[in-house]
Amino acid sequence: MAGEDEVRSWLAAAGRVTVLTGAGISTESGIPDFRGPQGVWTTNPAAQHMFTLQNYVADPEVRRLAWGNRRDHPAWTAEPNAGHHALVTLERSGRLRAIVTQNIDGLHQRAGNAAATVIEIHGTLFDVECLGCGARTTMRENLDRVDAGEPDPACLRCGGIQKAATISFGQSLRPDVLRAATEAAADCDVLLAVGTTLQVQPAAGLAEVAVRAGARLVIVNRDPTPYDALASALLRDPIGTVLPRLVAAAAA
Ligand SMILES: [Zn+2]
């Protein structure tokens, strides 16, 4: 198993690095993770009920609570941290193929990564999608309607139920987004998996796609993952500490 020095040299030599990010990169920005030891799902499995599409569609009370959660989500005030900024440095070095993120918090773009570089496989909190006609609007304008007294704002085009443009339990990933993510995983020299427990498919399977295509898999995560045996290096240090060190040589 390689160490941090070798990872630095791989990144410095790489033409294309694809980064896969999960909740762990955003916890240092104050956004809780869901599946870690202190995660929302782990400590309160009932919370998962609200994020299941079937329950959301069936129960107006679930929707009312969900709109309140969106309004109170820490992503509205969170700031990108040193881990996010390191990936901007990597993009400026010309070596970043894509960031495939499981996060919905928009912090990669806020940090300064190009929107076209960020593939949000679980969607974004900042858009709303109509489950009826597919119309997309901004979260901000819908939350304004909530604040003006509509507990569950319906689609202005078709009257349908609206939801954050995120992937709920029971909801499929968008095929075009998944395709772009798979292409990015298959087309890199290094897949850097950061802050993801690699437990959710199909996101986790991207690690295997990359390895089969000949890439080195580097996992930066506090806890073990099911893909550790496939990895060329495992780094356990805090993300905001280790990522800036990793990209420094690549940017030089
Ligand atoms: Zn609609």
Side-chain angles (χ1 to χ4, degrees), residues 130 133 155 158:
C130 172
C133 72
C155 175
C158 78

Side-chain angles (χ1 to χ4, degrees), residues 117-209:
T117 306
V118 183
I119 301 170
E120 297 174 303
I121 49 174
H122 290 168
T124 173
L125 174 71
F126 299 102
D127 284 340
V128 164
E129 197 167 63
C130 172
L131 297 176
C133 72
R136 263 176 109 97
T137 49
T138 67
M139 180 60 76
R140 187 71 268 163
E141 67 189 274
N142 284 281
L143 290 180
D144 286 347
R145 291 172 63 192
V146 173
D147 289 339
E150 291 183 73
D152 178 25
C155 175
L156 292 174
R157 196 160 88 184
C158 78
I161 292 173
Q162 300 194 109
K163 192 178 80 60
T166 54
I167 305 298
S168 302
F169 292 103
Q171 195 172 19
S172 300
L173 271 67
R174 297 171 64 107
D176 55 330
V177 175
L178 180 57
R179 193 176 315 119
T182 305
E183 285 171 6
D187 176 36
C188 64
D189 305 308
V190 177
L191 183 81
L192 191 58
V194 181
T196 168
T197 54
L198 296 175
Q199 284 173 15
V200 184
Q201 294 297 350
L206 296 174
E208 195 166 346
V209 168

